[in-house]
């Protein structure tokens, strides 16, 4: 039997925030002739100044946030990934580009393990919109 956790009802503040975001998205849909591309909709939902999920100021990552990723729990994921990166870097040299680096914990554990293996990349870039 499947067990489901019931999410708490949204607070009045959360509902007001959602309403403000809706007031930003609905006119954008109207201005676009009734249709927004998925890309534009998600850009508004996630990054609308002061309202989007990633820019509204609430904590998103970690135990007190909305979700926890493997690098937030342990350095094991970064250390495991570092082994593969070291193999690729040995063959190709170059840099590492991480998309959605969040708090930077993956980068920290990955670079620490690469340093232990004397396999640091020429550069490590993080692309993080939030």
């Amino acid at each position: 039997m499947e067990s489901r956790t019931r999410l708490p009802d949204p607070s009045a503040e959360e509902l007001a925030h959602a309403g403000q975001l809706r007031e930003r998205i609905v006119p954008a849909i109207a201005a676009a002739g009734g249709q927004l591309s998925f890309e534009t909709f998600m850009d508004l939902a996630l990054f609308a100044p002061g309202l989007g999920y990633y820019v509204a100021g609430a904590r998103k990552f970690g135990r007190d946030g909305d979700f926890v990723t493997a690098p937030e729990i342990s350095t094991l994921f970064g250390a495991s990934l570092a082994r593969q990166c070291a193999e690729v870097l040995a063959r190709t040299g170059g840099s590492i580009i991480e998309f959605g680096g969040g708090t930077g914990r993956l980068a920290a554990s990955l670079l620490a393990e690469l340093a232990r293996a004397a396999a640091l990349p020429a550069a490590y870039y993080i692309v993080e919109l939030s």
Side-chain angles (χ1 to χ4, degrees):
M1 206 180 236
E2 186 178 326
S3 173
R4 294 187 183 185
T5 302
R6 188 179 185 308
L7 295 175
D9 290 333
S11 67
E13 182 181 337
E14 291 167 331
L15 289 172
H17 181 90
Q20 290 175 329
L21 184 57
R22 182 180 185 279
E23 289 172 14
R24 179 82 53 94
I25 293 174
V26 169
I29 293 170
Q35 292 183 351
L36 281 183
S37 68
F38 180 74
E39 177 183 7
T40 301
F41 173 80
M42 290 307 293
D43 186 56
L44 288 168
L46 299 177
F47 301 106
L51 296 173
Y53 179 80
Y54 286 114
V55 296
R59 183 179 171 111
K60 301 297 176 222
F61 308 109
R63 295 191 190 280
D64 295 328
D66 287 344
F67 59 91
V68 177
T69 60
E72 299 290 326
I73 296 171
S74 167
T75 60
L76 183 60
F77 183 75
S80 299
L81 187 58
R83 291 181 184 172
Q84 183 65 50
C85 290
E87 184 180 317
V88 171
L89 290 168
R91 292 181 184 183
T92 64
S95 303
I96 295 173
I97 302 172
E98 178 185 354
F99 291 90
T103 64
R105 288 198 182 182
L106 174 61
S109 61
L110 196 143
L111 288 169
E113 188 64 27
L114 288 173
R116 278 194 275 295
L120 285 168
Y124 192 104
Y125 301 98
I126 297 176
V127 178
E128 177 59 65
L129 298 177
S130 65

